[in-house]
Amino acid sequence: MEINNIVIVGSGKVATNLAVALKSIEKNILCIYSRNVENAKKLAERIDSSFTNNYCDIPDKADLYIISVKDSAIAQVVSEMKVQSGIVVHTSGSVNISVFNDKFSDFGVFYPLMHFSADKQVGFSEIPLCVEANNTSNLETIRRLALQLSHNVHTISSEQRMILHLSAVIASNFTNLNYVIAEDILKKNKLSFDLLRPIIIETANKACNDSPAKMQTGPAIREDTEVMKEHVRLLGDLPQYQKLYKLLSDIIIRKKRDHEL
Amino acid sequence: MEINNIVIVGSGKVATNLAVALKSIEKNILCIYSRNVENAKKLAERIDSSFTNNYCDIPDKADLYIISVKDSAIAQVVSEMKVQSGIVVHTSGSVNISVFNDKFSDFGVFYPLMHFSADKQVGFSEIPLCVEANNTSNLETIRRLALQLSHNVHTISSEQRMILHLSAVIASNFTNLNYVIAEDILKKNKLSFDLLRPIIIETANKACNDSPAKMQTGPAIREDTEVMKEHVRLLGDLPQYQKLYKLLSDIIIRKKRDHEL
């Protein structure tokens, strides 16, 4: 089966980027549903679709229903939706496919592993799309759609997807927090975060061109206790940062001694 | 004064990248010193310089002596060097300029804020070069050289440089450790680190195009306790990672409540 007519439930960053990308490959977006009708309207106008904030007005004969709302709201949306045909998917990294078990007969997952922005449309061609379905026929249908958007499509089980999501939290959300902490320390000392931009980009590029385990540098891997002591002292009035510095340095030293770095 | 004749003490990644960059702007590298004469020779051949592993053979009338050895070895090198004229600098982020006080009359710091590779020469034009000197005349001389290599030159005191170095450890070394941990978790679950490459690059780019504090996403900032609980459970047999997950999530939640994110 080829998917042509699509309903999107949600109007956030993932829903918006996905809707625009699907429109760009000439899919017909029948309707945008959002609790907030203004948000639904705004997105619908961009992609020439109808919109609603009423579950009863969602067309019930689309080929695909994409639920792209926050994780904790998915079960509620599933319970409210009325669907006569087509496949229902969600886009979450952490919600098990079993959320659909008692409600629908054709369902799956369509998880794009990316940070989307509200104000910037991302090209999908490189984005890993992680797909799953309740049977091989639905999986084939979902994969075919995914491959029209990206050449980076992976069939991933719910258990693997949870691990992948956890890894993305560490490599992306926690990495961003590192940047935030660095910015914070610099600001407190009237230094500009701009100074770190080149090394941040280089670090990300290096890790991605090879294995990050080969790229570890810094005082901890050199076991340079003088420098580490001085850093901990400089973080004296920031106890959470100090704790973090010690823990991360301990992990690096342990991994080095275990020959993992 | 214009610097033309340079001696480099060291043959590691910083020394190599700096030597090649200085040669490319037609500076005359008189000599490479390294404890390991083979390393000295290897670098010297690349830049058409002499080399030695004997302090007595270092030319004593260069315009500039660059000490680019590991932090803990700088004081020892300073005590051994014999210099009749010229300015002596080191390239470290964490060693105070006062290391030169009792030995030389003209000295400074030339700290490039970058991760250098042994096998890949980096273009210097964007690299922040942080300079410091013992007087305004030497500062002017060092700055002029720095500006020939990069348009990103900053006069930074030893105290500020220590803060900058600490921030770079957090934003670069610790960030790389996040990548390592993500890779480790993926490997243990037979998933490829390749899946994370696009989101890692996007996260770094986003933080660098704006303030990272505006870019924080993930379960912690949403205070999605269900997902966080599940992640902590998944890390059950990796106690250091579990501790790290909790600490980083706590910092995000605290910062969000303090309106810093």
Side-chain angles (χ1 to χ4, degrees):
Chain A
M1 194 191 110
E2 163 114 14
I3 285 168
N4 285 305
N5 298 309
I6 299 173
V7 166
I8 294 177
V9 177
S11 59
K13 288 184 274 189
V14 180
T16 299
N17 276 269
L18 207 44
V20 173
L22 289 166
K23 184 73 185 175
S24 77
I25 56 166
E26 293 175 5
K27 298 300 173 187
N28 187 17
I29 314 293
L30 299 179
C31 181
I32 302 291
Y33 167 92
S34 174
R35 271 187 315 179
N36 179 321
V37 75
E38 278 308 309
N39 290 348
K41 187 182 174 196
K42 210 172 125 192
L43 175 53
E45 281 174 353
R46 281 183 66 179
I47 54 165
D48 194 23
S49 150
S50 74
F51 62 92
T52 181
N53 65 345
N54 184 340
Y55 283 107
C56 297
D57 294 337
I58 294 178
D60 62 1
K61 286 184 179 162
D63 303 323
L64 182 69
Y65 295 80
I66 301 176
I67 301 173
S68 193
V69 299
K70 64 180 179 180
D71 293 1
S72 53
I74 292 177
Q76 181 63 26
V77 169
V78 168
S79 77
E80 304 236 24
M81 269 175 70
K82 290 153 196 48
V83 166
Q84 301 290 335
S85 64
I87 302 171
V88 184
V89 297
H90 70 64
T91 59
S92 163
S94 58
V95 173
N96 199 291
I97 192 174
S98 63
V99 72
F100 296 123
N101 275 353
D102 299 332
K103 178 75 184 260
F104 303 119
S105 51
D106 296 294
F107 53 85
V109 178
F110 193 98
Y111 169 49
L113 184 41
M114 182 45 66
H115 266 189
F116 294 107
S117 304
D119 52 353
K120 178 190 148 203
Q121 180 66 26
V122 177
F124 266 67
S125 66
E126 309 280 341
I127 295 178
L129 297 179
C130 305
V131 297
E132 186 181 5
N134 69 312
N135 63 42
T136 50
S137 149
N138 289 335
L139 181 63
E140 214 25 70
T141 304
I142 295 169
R143 271 189 73 91
R144 207 175 308 145
L145 177 69
L147 285 163
Q148 290 180 273
L149 285 172
S150 168
H151 53 74
N152 201 354
V153 176
H154 304 265
T155 302
I156 302 270
S157 71
S158 284
E159 291 70 26
Q160 283 179 310
R161 186 160 34 83
M162 194 67 179
I163 293 287
L164 195 52
H165 181 242
L166 166 60
S167 307
V169 166
I170 294 168
S172 169
N173 301 153
F174 289 167
T175 283
N176 191 69
L177 180 65
N178 285 350
Y179 303 153
V180 170
I181 293 172
E183 186 184 38
D184 191 17
I185 293 168
L186 288 171
K187 261 192 194 162
K188 282 183 173 44
N189 290 278
K190 303 196 192 323
L191 286 160
S192 166
F193 182 67
D194 287 348
L195 286 159
L196 294 183
R197 295 182 205 272
I199 202 171
I200 284 174
I201 298 295
E202 180 72 4
T203 302
N205 282 330
K206 271 190 179 176
C208 289
N209 288 334
D210 202 326
S211 163
K214 292 187 202 163
M215 299 300 163
Q216 193 63 49
T217 59
I221 198 165
R222 291 194 304 271
E223 300 197 44
D224 188 333
T225 47
E226 285 308 307
V227 170
M228 287 191 280
K229 248 191 253 169
E230 179 62 12
H231 284 170
V232 168
R233 191 190 65 74
L234 287 169
L235 295 171
D237 53 349
L238 301 160
Q240 273 188 319
Y241 293 175
Q242 207 176 44
K243 205 167 150 187
L244 179 63
Y245 188 97
K246 287 180 189 167
L247 177 56
L248 290 166
S249 298
D250 282 353
I251 294 174
I252 293 172
I253 293 169
R254 199 252 309 146
K255 279 189 164 290
K256 184 200 171 185
R257 292 182 181 168
D258 290 350
H259 306 289
E260 294 174 26
L261 292 177
Chain B
M1 193 191 111
E2 164 116 15
I3 286 167
N4 285 306
N5 298 310
I6 301 172
V7 166
I8 295 177
V9 177
S11 58
K13 288 185 272 190
V14 180
T16 300
N17 276 267
L18 207 44
V20 173
L22 288 166
K23 184 72 185 174
S24 76
I25 56 166
E26 294 176 5
K27 298 300 172 187
N28 188 16
I29 315 292
L30 298 180
C31 182
I32 301 291
Y33 167 91
S34 175
R35 270 187 316 181
N36 179 321
V37 76
E38 279 308 309
N39 291 347
K41 186 182 175 195
K42 211 171 124 192
L43 174 53
E45 282 174 352
R46 280 183 66 182
I47 54 165
D48 195 24
S49 150
S50 74
F51 62 93
T52 181
N53 65 344
N54 185 339
Y55 282 107
C56 297
D57 294 338
I58 295 179
D60 64 359
K61 286 186 181 161
D63 303 322
L64 182 70
Y65 295 80
I66 301 176
I67 301 174
S68 192
V69 299
K70 64 180 181 181
D71 294 1
S72 54
I74 293 177
Q76 181 63 26
V77 169
V78 168
S79 77
E80 306 237 23
M81 268 174 72
K82 291 152 197 46
V83 166
Q84 301 290 335
S85 64
I87 303 171
V88 184
V89 297
H90 70 65
T91 59
S92 162
S94 57
V95 174
N96 199 292
I97 192 174
S98 63
V99 71
F100 297 122
N101 276 352
D102 299 332
K103 178 75 187 258
F104 303 119
S105 52
D106 297 293
F107 54 84
V109 178
F110 192 97
Y111 169 50
L113 184 39
M114 181 46 66
H115 266 188
F116 294 106
S117 304
D119 52 353
K120 179 189 149 207
Q121 179 65 25
V122 177
F124 266 66
S125 66
E126 310 279 342
I127 295 178
L129 297 179
C130 304
V131 297
E132 186 181 5
N134 69 312
N135 63 40
T136 50
S137 150
N138 289 335
L139 182 62
E140 213 26 68
T141 304
I142 296 170
R143 271 190 73 92
R144 207 174 310 145
L145 177 70
L147 284 164
Q148 290 180 274
L149 285 172
S150 168
H151 53 73
N152 201 355
V153 176
H154 304 267
T155 302
I156 302 269
S157 70
S158 284
E159 291 71 25
Q160 283 179 309
R161 184 159 37 82
M162 195 67 180
I163 293 287
L164 195 53
H165 182 242
L166 167 60
S167 308
V169 166
I170 294 168
S172 169
N173 302 153
F174 289 167
T175 284
N176 191 70
L177 180 64
N178 285 351
Y179 304 153
V180 169
I181 292 172
E183 185 183 38
D184 191 17
I185 294 168
L186 289 171
K187 260 191 194 164
K188 283 183 171 47
N189 290 277
K190 301 191 193 328
L191 286 160
S192 166
F193 182 68
D194 287 347
L195 286 158
L196 294 182
R197 295 184 203 271
I199 202 170
I200 283 174
I201 298 295
E202 180 72 4
T203 302
N205 282 330
K206 271 191 181 178
C208 289
N209 287 335
D210 202 327
S211 164
K214 292 188 201 162
M215 298 300 162
Q216 193 61 50
T217 59
I221 199 166
R222 291 194 304 271
E223 299 196 46
D224 188 334
T225 46
E226 285 308 307
V227 170
M228 287 190 280
K229 249 191 252 167
E230 179 62 12
H231 284 169
V232 168
R233 190 190 66 74
L234 287 169
L235 295 171
D237 53 350
L238 301 160
Q240 273 188 318
Y241 293 175
Q242 207 175 44
K243 205 168 149 187
L244 179 63
Y245 188 96
K246 287 179 189 168
L247 177 56
L248 289 165
S249 298
D250 282 352
I251 294 174
I252 293 172
I253 293 168
R254 199 253 309 148
K255 279 189 164 290
K256 184 200 172 185
R257 292 182 181 167
D258 290 350
H259 306 289
E260 292 174 27
L261 293 177

